[in-house]
């Protein structure tokens, strides 16, 4: 609700949220400041992930600034992916994120144009071997912090 004092939601234990309505879940999550999910333990449907990214892009009163995710985002269009990241301040992409080269390329292009709020981008165990070094540099060069853990290019 609008009067809720909850500002942060993190779930790193086993939870199957895939049965929740995607629109209701995404609407609630963008009202928080920080959302963190560990994908090995938290199950979201592809529709919920798509709804969340779309809601981040479209929300006129977005409060969400930090998103830690560990679900497959490969079905999110490169345009929606890059626009959503640009509206946040910090993003952590975990092992199961499956970010596509096209998503990173679109984000890199968006970063070149400017207007992004993103300050921190972390890749945890993501296979970036199919991403060109130029795209990776373009996506991260204007950030204050960028981390790549485990699987390097």
């Amino acid at each position: 609700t609008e009067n809720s004092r909850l500002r942060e939601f993190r779930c790193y234990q086993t939870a199957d949220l895939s049965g929740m309505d995607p629109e209701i879940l995404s609407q609630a999550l963008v009202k928080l400041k920080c959302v963190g999910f560990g994908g090995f333990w938290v199950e979201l449907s592809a529709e919920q992930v798509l709804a969340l990214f779309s809601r981040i892009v479209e929300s006129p009163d977005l409060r969400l600034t930090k998103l830690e995710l560990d679900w497959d985002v490969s079905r999110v269009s490169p345009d929606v992916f890059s626009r959503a990241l640009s509206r946040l301040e910090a993003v952590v992409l975990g092992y199961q994120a499956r970010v596509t080269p096209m998503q990173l390329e679109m984000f890199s292009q968006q970063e070149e144009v400017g207007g992004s709020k993103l300050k921190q981008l972390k890749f945890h165990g993501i296979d970036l071997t199919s991403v060109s070094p130029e795209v990776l540099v373009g996506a991260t060069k204007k950030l204050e912090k960028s981390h790549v853990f485990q699987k390097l290019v």
Side-chain angles (χ1 to χ4, degrees):
T1 69
E2 294 299 319
N3 298 327
S4 174
R5 293 175 26 153
L6 183 65
R7 300 288 175 253
E8 185 173 316
F9 179 77
R10 294 175 188 261
C11 185
Y12 295 101
Q13 296 184 1
T14 302
D16 184 355
L17 304 177
S18 63
M20 293 182 70
D21 180 272
E23 293 305 315
I24 292 172
L25 180 63
S26 65
Q27 187 176 23
L29 293 178
V30 298
K31 292 181 179 178
L32 302 172
K33 184 173 176 75
C34 176
V35 172
F37 288 110
F40 290 115
W41 302 282
V42 179
E43 187 174 336
L44 292 183
S45 70
E47 291 74 24
Q48 289 168 319
V49 174
L50 292 169
L52 176 58
F53 274 81
S54 294
R55 180 76 63 176
I56 292 169
V57 169
E58 298 164 2
S59 180
D61 59 344
L62 180 70
R63 295 183 195 144
L64 187 63
T65 59
K66 183 174 183 177
L67 180 62
E68 300 172 2
L69 59 93
D70 202 1
W71 332 286
D72 184 355
V73 297
S74 64
R75 289 185 51 200
V76 177
S77 76
D79 179 58
V80 170
F81 178 85
S82 66
R83 288 172 48 209
L85 263 57
S86 295
R87 293 199 69 198
L88 302 172
E89 292 178 15
V91 176
V92 178
L93 300 167
Y95 294 92
Q96 297 184 64
R98 294 187 186 107
V99 177
T100 69
M102 197 63 176
Q103 287 170 322
L104 285 179
E105 186 172 332
M106 180 72 77
F107 178 70
S108 174
Q109 292 170 4
Q110 180 130 359
E111 283 292 286
E112 287 295 322
V113 173
S116 175
K117 293 180 181 180
L118 195 65
K119 297 174 184 172
Q120 297 180 25
L121 180 58
K122 297 180 181 181
F123 301 98
H124 287 198
I126 294 178
D127 183 359
L128 298 172
T129 56
S130 60
V131 179
S132 76
E134 295 81 18
V135 167
L136 194 55
V137 167
T140 59
K141 71 180 178 184
K142 292 186 178 182
L143 303 175
E144 291 176 11
K145 289 184 181 179
S146 178
H147 298 267
V148 177
F149 296 105
Q150 225 173 26
K151 292 184 183 177
L152 299 173
V153 290

